[in-house]
Amino acid sequence: MVVGLGAHGSAAARALADRGARVIGLERFGRGHDLGSSGGRTRIIRVAYFEHPSYVPLVLEAWQAWVDLEAATGARILEPTGGLYAGPPNSEVFQGALRSSRQHGLPHEVLTATELRRRFPQFRVGDETSGIYEERAGLLRTAAALEAQLSLAERAGADLRFGVQVLGWGATTTGITVGTDEGTIACGSLALAAGAWTDTLLHGLDLGLWVERVPVFWFEPPGGPEPVSAGHLPVWIFETATDGTFYGFPYEPDAGLKVARHHSGVRVDPDMVDRTATPADEARVREFVRSHLPIADGPVRGSSVCLYTNTPDEHFVIDRHPDAPNVVFASACSGHGFKFSPVIGATLADLALDGRTDRPVDFLRMDPAVRPSAAARTLS
C-alpha cells in the first residue's frame, strides 16, 4: 500500500506495480490536487546541486527518468532552459553549486558580476555577486508529471483510490493493517509518502519535521514578456545578502513570470493553513523583484500557497521504520524534492520489496551519523 499520491507516492505506486506487486494507493484529496507540495504549475530541475554533491547522481538518474516518462506517455513534462545560480561569493547557492560542479565534473560556467550583467541583463546585481550557469537545467510541469505517473501506475495494475483518508496503521504478525475513514485494509508492506501529513503517520518517530507556508506569485512584466521568456531567461536561484533566497522561471503566456522566496519561515498546521496569498506575502517578493529583477515589476496575475515539509538539516528522509521494517517512508523534502520523484518512488519500491536499495541514498537515512553536516556544504 502507498499512502499519499503526490509526486513521490505516484512514482512509488508506479514503480511497485511495474515490478509486479499488487498495489493499492490511497490519497485523502482529489486526483492531482494542489493542497500539498506538488502544485504551482512548475518545479526546477537542476544538476549543479547546491544543497550537497551527494544529490547529483540522483538528479542525473531523475533527469533520464523524466525523459523516459515523456516517451512512455507522450506528456510534455521537462523543458530544458538552462539554470543560473547567483549570490555573494560566500553564499550557499554559489559555493554549493560550484562544489557539486567540480566534484562531479559537471559542465558549468563561473560568472563574475560583470559577466552576469552582460549575459543576463534582466537581473540587477551588485559587484559582490557571483554566478554559476549550467545548460543542464530546466522546468518540470507538475500536473503533467503527476498524471503521467498515476496513469502508468494504473496501466500496470495499481488500484488508486482518491478521497480516502488514512487515520493510522499497525503492525501485525503477518503484515500491516491500515485504518482509513472507509474502514481497515490489510497489506504486506506500507510506503508512506504523505508530504505535510507525514509526521502524523510515523508513530512517534521524532524527526523534527515542520511544515512551512510558501507563497508563490506570477507577475506580468510591464515591458512585455520577450526578455523573460524561455530562450532569454533560464530557471534561476538568487541568494540575497539580506533576505534569503528567491527563485523563478521563464514567462508562461497563460500564467506569467513565476517568482517566490525559498522558505518563508512561517510554520503552519497543514490542516489549518491560510491558502490565500496576502498583501504582506506579495510585498516581500515584490521587494526582491524591484531590487534584483525590475523588468518583472508589473501586476500580479496569480498566486498560490504551497507547503514545504522540512527536516532540521533540510535534507530528505528516506528510510524504513525502526519498529516495523516493512513500513518505509520518504518525505520532508524541505522544498527541493519534486525533481527527484521518479528516483524516490523507485527507491521506496526497492525498500518495500527487497528491504534494501542499490541507489546512493544512505546519506538520507534517519541516522544522524550518515547525514551531511552543515560544514560539508562549504567549498574548501
Side-chain angles (χ1 to χ4, degrees):
M1 181 176 294
V2 178
V3 175
L5 293 174
H8 300 154
S10 61
R14 179 204 172 188
L16 287 160
D18 281 347
R19 291 182 56 177
R22 181 187 173 199
V23 179
I24 296 175
L26 302 181
E27 168 59 55
R28 68 182 294 184
F29 301 115
R31 188 179 185 114
H33 70 87
D34 60 357
L35 300 176
S37 303
S38 298
R41 299 180 60 94
T42 50
R43 291 292 184 276
I44 291 175
I45 183 167
R46 51 195 165 86
V47 177
Y49 217 72
F50 74 80
E51 288 85 347
H52 197 272
S54 294
Y55 288 97
V56 172
L58 301 177
V59 78
L60 289 171
E61 182 183 353
W63 185 289
Q64 186 59 49
W66 289 118
V67 172
D68 294 343
L69 187 62
E70 287 185 318
T73 62
R76 183 183 172 214
I77 299 171
L78 193 163
E79 180 179 341
T81 63
L84 175 65
Y85 323 119
N90 63 347
S91 64
E92 180 183 10
V93 167
F94 175 75
Q95 290 284 347
L98 182 59
R99 180 177 184 229
S100 285
S101 297
R102 289 178 174 176
Q103 184 167 319
H104 290 278
L106 303 174
H108 69 284
E109 299 175 65
V110 179
L111 304 177
T112 65
T114 299
E115 291 165 332
L116 283 168
R117 296 184 193 108
R118 178 178 57 82
R119 291 275 298 277
F120 301 104
Q122 303 93 330
F123 289 97
R124 181 183 293 159
V125 301
D127 292 339
E128 74 288 351
T129 306
S130 298
I132 300 289
Y133 178 77
E134 66 171 343
E135 288 284 350
R136 196 167 192 180
L139 62 86
L140 298 166
R141 303 188 183 281
T142 57
L146 288 176
E147 183 53 37
Q149 294 187 148
L150 292 170
S151 63
L152 287 185
E154 290 174 322
R155 190 185 304 176
D159 175 9
L160 306 184
R161 306 176 187 179
F162 299 89
V164 180
Q165 183 175 354
V166 171
L167 306 175
W169 57 270
T172 70
T173 56
T174 57
I176 303 292
T177 58
V178 178
T180 79
D181 58 0
E182 295 186 354
T184 301
I185 307 172
C187 60
S189 59
L190 175 64
L192 299 174
W197 293 268
T198 296
D199 201 39
T200 63
L201 296 175
L202 287 180
H203 282 204
L205 289 187
D206 185 11
L207 300 181
L209 307 186
W210 63 282
V211 179
E212 184 177 23
R213 176 184 179 274
V214 180
V216 179
F217 294 90
W218 285 264
F219 293 87
E220 184 63 32
E226 184 177 358
V228 291
S229 297
H232 300 275
L233 184 72
V235 296
W236 54 268
I237 302 172
F238 196 120
E239 183 173 342
T240 69
T242 58
D243 193 31
T245 299
F246 293 77
Y247 65 92
F249 298 75
Y251 182 88
E252 296 179 275
D254 59 343
L257 185 73
K258 181 178 176 180
V259 182
R261 188 180 191 273
H262 182 46
H263 294 295
S264 69
V266 178
R267 294 177 179 244
V268 293
D269 178 334
D271 290 317
M272 303 292 291
V273 60
D274 181 356
R275 297 185 178 277
T276 301
T278 68
D281 295 330
E282 179 187 336
R284 191 172 197 181
V285 176
R286 190 176 290 278
E287 182 178 354
F288 168 85
V289 169
R290 286 176 174 165
S291 298
H292 299 286
L293 191 60
I295 195 171
D297 188 20
V300 169
R301 285 182 57 178
S303 62
S304 68
V305 170
C306 79
L307 301 179
Y308 285 7
T309 306
N310 299 305
T311 62
D313 63 8
E314 297 183 12
H315 296 294
F316 311 165
V317 180
I318 305 174
D319 214 333
R320 302 165 73 191
H321 197 289
D323 300 325
N326 51 344
V327 175
V328 301
F329 60 92
S331 195
C333 288
S334 303
H336 60 107
F338 188 99
K339 66 185 73 64
F340 296 96
S341 58
V343 176
I344 291 175
T347 301
L348 284 174
D350 292 343
L351 295 175
L353 297 180
D354 304 328
R356 58 176 300 279
T357 183
D358 290 331
R359 290 184 169 83
V361 295
D362 273 357
F363 75 106
L364 301 175
R365 289 165 43 209
M366 290 186 296
D367 182 356
V370 302
R371 295 178 69 79
S373 67
R377 300 185 187 183
T378 303
L379 185 69
S380 58

